[in-house]
Amino acid sequence: MSERSNITLIGMPGAGKSTLGVLLAKALAKGFVDTDVLIQQQEHCTLQAYQERHGLDRFQALEAEVLIKLDVSNCVIATGGSAVYSEQAMRALAAHSRIVFIDVPLDVLNARINNMESRGIVQKPGQDFATLYRERWPLYEQAAEIRIEADHHVMDAVLALILDRLQREPI
């Protein structure tokens, strides 16, 4: 694995990590990896189905394992929103990636997510999305090397912000 040749996107569900990841990979001539898709392929089921069968703790352990063992170079990596719960996984990603936090306001996320029940979001029973947001935000902030305030920007504008920051703050 090439030293820090990857870019890892972190942020809440609905932040656009997968969509931005594809666009960023194309713009930088890098590969693209979506770790949620890797988990689904490995387990032959959706994230939601895995969580329903095995529980949140087991899902988070699986997610951390996948992130720690991820062996790619020159890629953009879109992580699941819960990736930041594993300090070990975030350290492993940071060793080979620049970590970029796509910071989207709660009101924008609420407007974007219309499949909360089936999306496979890791949250405690009875926990609402706003509470989850407040719980995770400091973890994203702590893990990030670069924070992109996406606000109400369209994806192309957010992509331009990321590209600008990567250029201004080289490795």
Side-chain angles (χ1 to χ4, degrees), residues 35-36 38-40 42-47 50-51 54-69 89:
T35 61
D36 281 348
L38 285 180
I39 293 168
Q40 289 180 154
Q42 177 180 312
E43 298 303 318
H44 306 288
C45 64
T46 65
L47 302 179
Y50 187 91
Q51 289 178 47
H54 304 288
L56 293 181
D57 290 342
R58 193 151 161 211
F59 174 79
Q60 287 181 285
L62 171 65
E63 180 178 46
E65 178 185 319
V66 167
L67 294 172
I68 291 164
K69 290 181 178 179

Side-chain angles (χ1 to χ4, degrees), residues 27-93:
L28 296 174
K30 292 182 176 283
F32 175 69
V33 176
D34 185 319
T35 61
D36 281 348
V37 173
L38 285 180
I39 293 168
Q40 289 180 154
Q41 289 175 326
Q42 177 180 312
E43 298 303 318
H44 306 288
C45 64
T46 65
L47 302 179
Q48 185 66 37
Y50 187 91
Q51 289 178 47
E52 288 170 3
R53 274 188 222 130
H54 304 288
L56 293 181
D57 290 342
R58 193 151 161 211
F59 174 79
Q60 287 181 285
L62 171 65
E63 180 178 46
E65 178 185 319
V66 167
L67 294 172
I68 291 164
K69 290 181 178 179
L70 189 61
D71 186 16
V72 297
S73 61
N74 199 37
C75 286
V76 175
I77 303 164
T79 62
S82 58
V84 291
Y85 286 129
S86 170
E87 289 181 32
Q88 187 180 7
M90 293 311 299
R91 277 194 306 272
L93 288 168

Side-chain angles (χ1 to χ4, degrees), residues 95-158:
H96 302 285
S97 299
R98 299 187 73 191
I99 307 290
V100 178
F101 170 26
I102 309 303
D103 186 6
V104 177
L106 181 59
D107 63 319
V108 175
L109 295 171
N110 280 326
R112 287 183 184 173
I113 298 177
N114 55 13
N115 58 343
M116 189 74 75
E117 297 77 28
S118 64
R119 191 171 173 119
I121 296 173
V122 173
Q123 61 191 109
K124 299 171 190 98
Q127 184 179 41
D128 68 12
F129 194 70
T131 303
L132 183 69
Y133 178 88
R134 288 189 298 275
E135 175 181 288
R136 289 185 184 177
W137 197 94
L139 299 174
Y140 296 132
E141 180 71 12
Q142 179 182 1
E145 180 177 335
I146 295 172
R147 180 173 148 237
I148 300 296
E149 294 182 32
D151 295 325
H152 295 80
H153 299 302
V154 295
M155 289 295 169
D156 287 341
V158 177

Side-chain angles (χ1 to χ4, degrees), residues 20 24 148 154-166:
L20 283 166
L24 188 58
I148 300 296
V154 295
M155 289 295 169
D156 287 341
V158 177
L159 175 65
L161 289 170
I162 296 169
L163 290 168
D164 179 62
R165 285 289 297 278
L166 290 171

